[in-house]
């Protein structure tokens, strides 16, 4: 039996994407097993929601930074533009 991480004292906004996902996966696993007391389940569920929002924000920021390479008619790199640029 694995217990969910005891990292509630760590501010969610200070976590890297990878660490936040790792903690979120541990929380989901613990909740799915159903071996966590009700009070603790509510506490870690709320932490999971905060982690999910943090991960979504980090992903959104990364997507906004992604650029695609523009090619000229000869197929040579000409510059970059936003991935979703019109």
């Amino acid at each position: 039996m694995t217990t969910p991480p005891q990292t509630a004292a760590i501010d969610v906004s200070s976590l890297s994407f990878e660490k936040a996902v790792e903690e979120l996966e541990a929380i989901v696993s613990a909740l799915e097993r159903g071996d966590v007391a009700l009070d603790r389940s509510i506490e870690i569920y709320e932490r999971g929601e905060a982690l999910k929002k943090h991960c979504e924000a980090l992903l959104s920021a990364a997507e906004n930074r992604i650029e695609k390479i523009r090619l000229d008619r000869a197929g040579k790199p000409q510059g970059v533009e936003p991935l979703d640029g019109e």
Side-chain angles (χ1 to χ4, degrees):
M1 170 170 99
T2 335
T3 58
Q6 300 292 325
T7 55
I10 298 173
D11 182 25
V12 170
S13 65
S14 70
L15 295 174
S16 69
F17 178 80
E18 293 78 11
K19 290 290 185 186
V21 168
E22 183 180 306
E23 185 179 341
L24 185 55
E25 287 172 346
I27 287 171
V28 169
S29 177
L31 291 173
E32 285 177 343
R33 282 192 317 272
D35 59 357
V36 181
L38 180 60
D39 289 346
R40 179 75 176 131
S41 292
I42 294 169
E43 179 183 315
I44 64 173
Y45 178 84
E46 290 171 347
R47 173 87 174 168
E49 280 293 314
L51 288 163
K52 176 182 164 278
K53 288 178 184 176
H54 177 61
C55 288
E56 288 172 343
L58 291 174
L59 281 175
S60 178
E63 287 173 352
N64 290 335
R65 293 177 51 202
I66 293 175
E67 298 175 324
K68 66 179 178 180
I69 299 173
R70 260 191 334 244
L71 303 177
D72 63 15
R73 292 181 184 252
K76 296 185 179 181
Q78 181 180 357
V80 294
E81 63 186 51
L83 183 61
D84 294 329
E86 308 296 318

